Amino acid sequence: MDIDKIRKDFPILSRRVRGKPLVYLDNAATSQKPRAVIEALSNFYENTNANVHRGIHTLSEEATALYEEARKKVARFVHAPSPESVIFTRNTTESINLVAHAWGRKFINPGDEILLTGMEHHSNLVPWQILAQEKGAVLKFVEVRPDGTLNLEDLDRNAGPRTKLIAVTHVSNAIGTINPIRRFAQVAKSLGALLLVDAAQSVPHIPVDMRVLGCDFLAFSAHKMMGPTGVGVLIAHEEMLEKMSPFLGGGDMIREVWLEKATWNELPYKFEAGTPNFAGVAAFGAALDYLQGLGMDNVRAHEQELIGYALKSLLQIEGITIYGPMDSAQRSGVVSFNLGTIHPHDLGTVLDEDGIAVRAGHHCCQPLMRRLGINGTTRASVYVYNTKEEIDKFAKSLDRARTLFGVCAPSPTDRPAKPSAKKEGR
Ligand code: PMP
């Protein structure tokens, strides 16, 4: 891959921040967009804009074609069972909440167990807490080991005949661990339980084949994979979707409506109530084409090389603590760390002065932070357009912060969390 050529496709990468060339290392929060996606969005509004599925006029037909073509592209991208098994939502969070409502409320009973892990993003934890409270179900956990990998003995210990659902993140947004989903699928299958995979950090960065993963539900967001904001995906087998209750009620999701009752539309429309983000979905189609053109194996290989390089150079910095597996084969393009007693927000501010964008805080993973005995971390996350030169600038800037603040030995837990008006996470 020619990274310099790829970089030219992303207009934002040529801007400067605080007088320095932007070094964007906040890709786990959201990715940048290639020109093809930006143009697909503006082309849609300039030439095609009309509501989908409703009109008989040319614009509506063209808009519907783009919308449905994107659905087929999603299905091909992750080897979904069929285009009809692909539901467009707003984001990963909504996709997971859809399952908690439409499947959970119908099929979870008092005493049933839902098995999660200690490294879930809040969006794959809180919906299950709400459901468990409502239904009298029990949450169980696979805990995180000090090295940032999951303790698979917990999986064998805590999965049992009452387990109805296992919900696990494929890749940790906070520390980058790639989890062994096949192992979770085998356990779920042996118990007749369902498996939900939060793929928000995997589908954008590593090749994902739903058939190989063996999961029942797959959730991810377009904005983390070069697509626009406001588009998410939930994939499930059609038989499962047929059995589930609707999530939101309204236009498009119905077949026939009377004053007192209604019947539901066919899949996938049963789960797409109201006007969807059709312009965003059309542009998401362009993002999928772009990633397909690069090849997800190539994307992963580049990121693995970059993160291996980053780990090596960051380990040279005195006082650094890096979280998560140190083997780049077990880690996505995320490196999360603390530098002595420097507060992650302070570190983020110094990096920003050098034009470097990272994230600081708990990354919407408070239980994981607690488990690691910290309040938060600074997180750098790469994508296919990042370079080794950018990693060098990043390491140099960290060194500047170290000199500026002076690095002391105590761990960041010794310092209470700084009250902050800033929203953390993502
Ligand atoms: N799960 C993981 C692993 C994530 O990284 C994120 C986003 N940070 C989410 C879920 C939620 O995604 P969204 O905000 O797009 O709903």
Side-chain angles (χ1 to χ4, degrees):
M1 275 189 314
D2 182 346
I3 304 300
D4 284 343
K5 189 159 166 274
I6 290 172
R7 287 180 68 82
K8 291 202 177 82
D9 291 336
F10 292 78
I12 205 168
L13 296 181
S14 56
R15 74 158 279 184
R16 297 176 83 81
V17 169
R18 295 176 179 266
K20 316 261 170 52
L22 167 68
V23 175
Y24 188 75
L25 298 176
D26 194 16
N27 293 285
T30 201
S31 72
Q32 297 304 345
K33 322 298 172 197
R35 194 171 283 103
V37 169
I38 299 165
E39 282 175 0
L41 198 58
S42 60
N43 272 341
F44 185 90
Y45 284 122
E46 283 177 22
N47 298 305
T48 316
N49 185 46
N51 210 330
V52 289
H53 299 144
R54 290 170 202 192
I56 42 154
H57 59 86
T58 302
L59 292 190
S60 178
E61 277 172 8
E62 286 177 11
T64 303
L66 281 169
Y67 187 75
E68 293 306 327
E69 193 48 49
R71 196 190 304 279
K72 288 184 195 147
K73 287 177 187 174
V74 172
R76 283 198 293 270
F77 197 78
V78 294
H79 303 277
S82 63
E84 290 72 29
S85 66
V86 175
I87 295 158
F88 286 121
T89 61
R90 278 188 310 142
N91 48 38
T92 306
T93 305
E94 188 175 282
S95 297
I96 296 171
N97 276 275
L98 191 163
V99 179
H101 281 257
W103 175 83
R105 278 189 174 162
K106 189 164 177 186
F107 292 107
I108 288 287
N109 295 308
D112 283 348
E113 292 171 5
I114 298 169
L115 184 61
L116 307 166
T117 85
M119 66 166 71
E120 297 311 311
H121 188 282
H122 297 161
S123 67
N124 196 29
L125 178 61
V126 180
W128 307 119
Q129 293 172 345
I130 294 170
L131 179 69
Q133 275 161 20
E134 200 179 300
K135 290 287 187 174
V138 178
L139 299 184
K140 293 205 158 180
F141 296 92
V142 177
E143 258 314 339
V144 181
R145 294 190 293 213
D147 70 351
T149 59
L150 290 173
N151 183 356
L152 296 177
E153 282 166 20
D154 284 348
L155 176 60
D156 299 323
R157 198 177 309 129
N158 293 334
R162 298 232 58 177
T163 308
K164 286 282 154 60
L165 176 77
I166 302 179
V168 56
T169 192
H170 194 175
V171 170
S172 163
N173 63 301
I175 54 174
T177 315
I178 302 176
N179 289 319
I181 298 300
R182 286 285 314 140
R183 179 86 158 73
F184 281 77
Q186 281 156 8
V187 172
K189 200 162 175 217
S190 72
L191 297 169
L194 299 181
L195 176 65
L196 180 145
V197 174
D198 173 351
Q201 298 292 345
S202 60
V203 169
H205 299 282
I206 61 181
V208 170
D209 184 331
M210 239 188 120
R211 298 166 305 183
V212 174
L213 287 186
C215 62
D216 298 283
F217 298 107
L218 191 77
F220 52 97
S221 298
H223 71 92
K224 292 185 195 282
M225 49 192 295
M226 304 186 183
T229 47
V231 177
V233 173
L234 174 71
I235 307 178
H237 286 274
E238 286 173 61
E239 307 87 77
M240 182 55 59
L241 293 169
E242 294 286 7
K243 282 192 226 158
M244 287 159 55
S245 302
F247 175 36
L248 302 173
D252 272 5
M253 54 74 73
I254 49 82
R255 190 186 301 275
E256 237 183 312
V257 180
W258 293 268
L259 280 178
E260 287 87 11
K261 62 176 185 173
T263 54
W264 315 138
N265 203 347
E266 64 194 23
L267 294 173
Y269 312 113
K270 173 181 162 187
F271 292 103
E272 292 183 359
T275 299
N277 183 358
F278 46 75
V281 168
F284 184 32
L288 291 164
D289 290 343
Y290 188 87
L291 281 169
Q292 201 85 58
L294 295 178
M296 289 310 293
D297 283 319
N298 296 329
V299 172
R300 168 62 182 151
H302 177 67
E303 289 186 20
Q304 193 178 336
E305 193 185 331
L306 269 188
I307 217 66
Y309 183 76
L311 287 174
K312 225 185 257 168
S313 59
L314 263 54
L315 278 173
Q316 310 296 319
I317 300 173
E318 189 199 331
I320 201 160
T321 308
I322 299 178
Y323 306 96
M326 293 312 290
D327 173 7
S328 67
Q330 260 191 296
R331 178 191 279 267
S332 70
V334 168
V335 59
S336 218
F337 59 94
N338 273 303
L339 187 48
T341 52
I342 308 174
H343 194 283
H345 282 171
D346 295 337
L347 207 48
T349 306
V350 173
L351 290 166
D352 184 59
E353 283 169 6
D354 290 333
I356 300 167
V358 295
R359 191 140 296 243
H362 55 62
H363 316 296
C364 291
C365 291
Q366 286 182 351
L368 174 62
M369 296 296 121
R370 242 174 252 125
R371 175 79 180 175
L372 296 172
I374 50 179
N375 294 314
T377 73
T378 304
R379 179 188 72 186
S381 50
V382 300
Y383 213 172
V384 66
Y385 38 69
N386 290 117
T387 63
K388 285 187 179 163
E389 292 71 48
E390 288 182 313
I391 300 294
D392 290 341
K393 283 186 191 170
F394 170 53
K396 203 169 155 206
S397 184
L398 286 178
D399 223 29
R400 185 171 82 79
R402 204 181 55 86
T403 320
L404 214 63
F405 288 98
V407 165
C408 326
S411 85
T413 34
D414 296 342
R415 204 170 144 193
K418 192 169 160 183
S420 169
K422 278 186 199 164
K423 230 181 140 200
E424 296 186 338
R426 303 273 142 215

